[in-house]
């Protein structure tokens, strides 16, 4: 029996992970966390009978009085308690945003293997996470379609033979709009992703291409590859999930229908490919197209390279300013293009205050500074 503790079980990745646990009788949901979705959390408890559950805070406590066999934890502290409950468990982190950082760090310190959808953690704390993973000898496997693909393509050659990693990008909801057409787009427009059905934040991040920026930084930390060897390309069909080009100019690609169940499964069964959950690829009507990334149209990709190469806490500035901007946009407080403006001005504001030797408290402190800067100016 393999035990999993699933953080963010009520979200898009969380639900798809539960689909997989349900289908394998050797998988057990030992514990999970949710934030506010009480009714879905009750369904999950009834169906999966976990022993431990963490929720946002104790305000929903009484709603769960009937579940006598479950131990409940609350708040940020409760996430840290949850990842430590039992020795024999793998942590799946599918929380959205930097809220996923502290539980990731705690899980690694508790010597738990971690399957990480929460890319914000790696982007903001890449050096720290890599050091902890090494010190504690745990496995960290990405749950992101591109990085799952790259991991598989990297099995073919040696690290020193890599010429470049090519990350594909669907282009998001506004792929075919010009910059002037972006001025008055709405939240409803932004949430209409052509290929993937995902949580709100990542859907908006895909449209601004910040998601691709985060993924470039994620790839740098995961695979220890210099930014000069990481490229992005627009591939609107989302069939090739990423590629690795070797020094002989041969390119290895990973193809599959766009369905997150596959990268989630790869992480859960790593390194095996045991069963099919997603549809087979149908070649009878398959056209694949590619377009060079246009950095004038998608300036946030270039900004990601800038903060990535600078290192230190600048990737956190990129990520946190985006998190706050997206939530302001989602709440109708700013216009779509203000998201880019907020990220650009935040980087400008903090670029001369970069710190390189940080621990988690320094990061969380910096995160607060960036949040206040954005909220004071834009809300
Ligand atoms: P989502 O919004 O659907 O779900 C997020 C989950 O996090 C929910 O369970 C929510 O309850 C929980 N949560 C939100 N704020 C929290 C907080 N402050 N503290 C604790 N828990 C909190 O998001 P998603 O689309 O499932 O994405 C989750 C992560 O996976 C993100 O980092 C995203 O970038 C990454 N990811 C998602 C996809 C996808 O297809 N959805 C693909 C690749 C990577
Ligand atoms: Mg991705």
């Amino acid at each position: 029996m393999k035990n999993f503790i699933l953080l963010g079980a009520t979200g898009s990745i969380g639900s798809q992970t539960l689909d997989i646990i349900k289908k394998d009788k050797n998988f057990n949901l030992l514990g999970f966390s949710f934030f506010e979705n009480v009714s879905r959390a009750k369904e999950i408890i009834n169906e999966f009978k976990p022993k431990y559950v963490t929720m946002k805070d104790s305000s929903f406590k009484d709603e769960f009085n009937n579940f006598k066999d479950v131990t409940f934890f609350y708040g940020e502290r409760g996430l840290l308690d949850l990842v430590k409950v039992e020795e024999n468990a793998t942590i799946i982190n599918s929380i959205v945003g930097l809220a996923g950082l502290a539980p990731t760090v705690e899980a690694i310190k508790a010597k738990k293997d971690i399957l990480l959808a929460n890319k914000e953690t790696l982007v903001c704390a890449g050096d720290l996470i890599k050091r902890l993973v090494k010190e504690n000898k745990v496995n960290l496997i990405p749950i992101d379609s591109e990085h799952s693909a790259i991991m598989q393509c990297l099995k073919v050659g040696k690290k020193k033979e890599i010429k470049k990693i090519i990350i594909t990008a669907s282009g998001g909801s506004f792929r075919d709009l010009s910059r002037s057409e972006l001025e008055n787009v709405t939240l409803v427009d932004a949430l209409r992703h052509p290929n993937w059905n995902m949580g709100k934040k990542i859907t908006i991040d895909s449209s601004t291409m910040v998601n691709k920026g985060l993924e470039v930084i994620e790839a740098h930390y995961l695979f220890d590859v210099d930014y000069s060897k990481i490229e992005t390309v627009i591939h609107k069909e989302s069939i090739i999930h990423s590629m690795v080009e070797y020094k002989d100019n041969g390119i290895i690609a990973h193809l599959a229908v766009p369905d997150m169940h596959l990268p989630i499964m790869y992480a859960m069964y790593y390194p095996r490919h045991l069963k099919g959950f997603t549809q087979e690829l149908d070649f009878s009507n398959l056209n694949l197209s590619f377009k060079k990334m246009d950095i004038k149209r998608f300036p946030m990709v270039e900004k990601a390279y800038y903060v990535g190469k600078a290192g230190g806490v600048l990737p956190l500035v990129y990520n946190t300013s985006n998190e706050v901007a997206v939530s302001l946009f989602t709440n109708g407080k700013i216009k779509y293009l203000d998201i880019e403006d907020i990220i650009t001005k935040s980087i400008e504001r903090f670029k001369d205050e970069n710190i390189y030797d940080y621990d988690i408290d320094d990061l969380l402190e910096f995160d607060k500074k960036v949040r206040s800067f954005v909220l004071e100016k834009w809300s």
Side-chain angles (χ1 to χ4, degrees), residues 325-379:
V326 169
S327 100
L328 289 173
F329 175 66
T330 309
N331 293 318
K333 298 264 168 55
I334 58 169
K335 291 181 78 171
Y336 180 76
L337 282 175
D338 292 333
I339 299 174
E340 290 181 357
D341 195 36
I342 288 174
I343 297 171
T344 306
K345 295 213 166 95
S346 301
I347 296 169
E348 204 45 45
R349 160 70 184 79
F350 291 104
K351 74 179 187 335
D352 297 324
E353 291 179 25
N354 204 355
I355 46 172
Y356 297 93
D357 190 16
Y358 56 77
D359 61 21
I360 183 167
D361 293 334
D362 301 322
L363 282 177
L364 296 176
E365 188 69 35
F366 218 93
D367 177 65
K368 270 198 203 137
K369 265 169 57 175
V370 178
R371 275 172 209 273
S372 319
F373 169 73
V374 177
L375 288 173
E376 268 166 33
K377 244 176 124 119
W378 280 278
S379 68

Side-chain angles (χ1 to χ4, degrees), residues 119 143-147 167-168 196 198 202 206 211-212 215 218 241 260:
K119 65 187 92 183
I143 295 181
D144 205 346
S145 56
E146 297 78 1
H147 304 75
I167 304 180
T168 51
W196 298 94
M198 312 182 283
I202 186 172
S206 300
N211 183 50
K212 216 41 59 181
E215 290 182 350
E218 184 187 5
H241 295 300
M260 282 308 292

Side-chain angles (χ1 to χ4, degrees), residues 174 182-191 200 204-205 207-208 322-339 342:
F174 302 137
L182 291 176
E183 301 239 340
N184 292 313
V185 294
T186 65
L187 176 64
V188 176
D189 301 330
L191 292 178
K200 270 190 192 169
I204 295 170
D205 289 354
S207 74
T208 56
N322 175 61
E323 280 188 24
V324 188
V326 169
S327 100
L328 289 173
F329 175 66
T330 309
N331 293 318
K333 298 264 168 55
I334 58 169
K335 291 181 78 171
Y336 180 76
L337 282 175
D338 292 333
I339 299 174
I342 288 174

Side-chain angles (χ1 to χ4, degrees), residues 8-14 16 33-36 79 94-97 99 117-120 143-145 196-200 202 211 260:
T10 49
S12 158
I13 293 288
Q16 295 177 82
S33 84
F34 72 99
F35 206 49
E36 295 179 306
L79 286 172
S94 62
I95 289 176
V96 60
N118 179 244
K119 65 187 92 183
E120 294 90 345
I143 295 181
D144 205 346
S145 56
W196 298 94
N197 185 6
M198 312 182 283
K200 270 190 192 169
I202 186 172
N211 183 50
M260 282 308 292

